[in-house]
Amino acid sequence: MLRIAVPNKGAISGPAMAMLHEAGYKQRKESKELVLVDPENQVEFFYLRPRDIAIYVSSGRLDIGITGRDLLLDSGADAEEILQLGFARSTFRYATKPGTAAGPEDFDGMTIATSYEGIVAKHLAETGVNASVVHLDGAVETAIELGVAQIIADVVETGTSLRNAGLEVIGEPIMKSEAVVIRRTGAPDDDPKVQQFLRRLQGVLVARSYVMMDYDCRVEHLERAVALTPGLESPTISPLHHEGWVAVRSMVASKEAQRIMDDLYDLGARAILTTAIHACRL
C-alpha cells in the first residue's frame, strides 16, 4: 500500500483531508484515529504532527506526505516538494517594535525569536547577518515585550496579531509558504501509485479552478466566441436544430467566468450556463 502522512491538526489538516476526500479517498471521522486504511484505493494514511511529517517521509518509512513548505524547510529533512496544493498560503517575515530596525542589515548583535529556527538561521547565513536565534514554541509576539529578543520571525497572514502587540513587519519576506506534497529526496519518479495519487490531487485542483461553460451561438459569431472560450485543447461545437446556430461547450477559469458570460452575451450568445466540475483528468 501507498503510505501517506497527513497533518493531524493545524491550518493544513482540515483542507488536506477535504482535498483527499474530493480525490476519492477515505478519511478519518474521529480525531483520535491515528491510522486509516483505504483498501479500495490501496492507501494507508498516517495522521501525524505537521512538524514531524518531513522527518518521517525523509526516513523512507512513509512514501509521501502533506505538509507546509515552511515546515519542510525548517526541518532540514532530506525531502522535497513535488506538488503545490494552493491552500494554507502564508508569508514568513521579520517583525519588531517601530524604530528598532529597518531590515536584516540592522540585525547584527541582536537576538531573533522564532518557532522556525532552521529557516531563520539559513536566511541569516545567506544574507551575512551576525545575529543569534532563540527557539520558542507557539506564539512569539511576546518575546520582545519580555526582553527575550529584539526581533521576531513568524508566519504572517493578516498581520493583525502583530499590530495588536505593537509590532511592525520589516524587510522583505523571508519566504512564502503553502501546503505541498513531499517525498524523500531522490525517490524514483515513476512509482505508479505515487503518480496516480498526484493525478487525483491535480484533478481536484483543476476542478476547483475551472467550470464547464455551455452556450448557444450564431455561426457568424462563432470565431469571436471561441476566442473568449478556447478551452484546454479546443471547445466542443455541436449544430443545433435551428439553422445558423451551434452549441458550444468549453472549460473556463472560474475567476473569469462571470466576465466571459457578459462578453458572450454582448456578442449575441444565449442560454449561457456554467456547471461545477467535481473531478477531472487532463
Side-chain angles (χ1 to χ4, degrees):
M1 285 190 172
L2 188 66
R3 295 157 66 87
I4 302 173
V6 182
N8 65 348
K9 60 182 179 180
I12 299 178
S13 179
M17 287 191 286
M19 176 172 278
L20 291 169
H21 177 72
E22 289 180 53
Y25 295 104
K26 289 176 56 179
Q27 286 299 290
R28 66 179 185 175
K29 297 180 180 179
E30 299 289 338
S31 60
K32 294 181 180 180
E33 292 183 78
L34 301 180
V35 180
L36 183 144
V37 178
D38 183 352
E40 186 173 325
N41 290 299
Q42 287 294 293
V43 171
E44 193 171 9
F45 293 103
F46 294 81
Y47 299 90
L48 306 170
R49 291 180 67 249
R51 280 189 170 273
D52 296 338
I53 287 176
I55 303 298
Y56 280 106
V57 172
S58 68
S59 72
R61 301 290 184 181
L62 300 179
D63 300 302
I64 52 179
I66 297 175
T67 188
R69 181 182 296 123
D70 52 351
L71 298 175
L72 166 63
L73 296 179
D74 191 61
S75 72
D78 192 19
E80 61 185 0
E81 67 176 78
I82 54 176
L83 180 64
Q84 300 173 13
L85 298 179
F87 61 85
R89 289 192 171 103
S90 61
T91 304
F92 196 71
R93 306 194 67 164
Y94 294 113
T96 187
K97 285 190 174 182
T100 302
E105 64 276 6
D106 300 325
F107 291 175
D108 280 340
M110 295 186 179
T111 300
I112 303 169
T114 183
S115 300
Y116 298 81
E117 186 177 0
I119 292 176
V120 174
K122 181 180 179 182
H123 185 259
L124 294 176
E126 291 173 347
T127 54
V129 175
N130 183 22
S132 58
V133 180
V134 58
H135 178 85
L136 295 177
D137 287 322
V140 296
E141 291 89 346
T142 57
I144 295 177
E145 186 67 29
L146 296 177
V148 174
Q150 295 82 40
I151 312 290
I152 66 168
D154 202 7
V155 172
V156 177
E157 294 182 357
T158 64
T160 301
S161 60
L162 293 177
R163 289 191 293 272
N164 290 340
L167 306 178
E168 64 177 7
V169 170
I170 57 173
E172 296 297 318
I174 303 170
M175 67 166 294
K176 293 184 177 180
S177 183
E178 67 178 290
V180 295
V181 179
I182 66 171
R183 68 175 178 189
R184 181 170 53 85
T185 303
D189 294 328
D190 56 354
D191 186 325
K193 292 181 180 178
V194 173
Q195 292 304 313
Q196 182 186 69
F197 178 78
L198 294 178
R199 280 195 301 272
R200 286 197 182 192
L201 294 191
Q202 288 167 335
V204 172
L205 291 172
V206 173
R208 289 178 173 182
S209 301
Y210 286 83
V211 294
M212 188 66 70
M213 185 171 289
D214 294 88
Y215 58 92
D216 297 340
C217 178
R218 293 285 305 176
V219 172
E220 57 265 30
H221 301 315
L222 181 59
E223 290 304 316
R224 292 170 62 192
V226 167
L228 294 171
T229 59
L232 297 184
E233 278 80 28
S234 64
T236 300
I237 312 294
S238 305
L240 293 178
H241 180 68
H242 286 170
E243 187 175 352
W245 284 84
V246 293
V248 183
R249 163 166 280 204
S250 180
M251 287 175 63
V252 302
S254 301
K255 61 183 180 181
E256 299 177 1
Q258 292 295 332
R259 176 187 59 79
I260 292 173
M261 292 175 78
D262 291 337
D263 292 344
L264 287 171
Y265 189 89
D266 291 341
L267 192 62
R270 293 296 181 263
I272 309 168
L273 308 173
T274 62
T275 52
I277 301 171
H278 295 290
C280 70
R281 296 290 186 275
L282 299 181

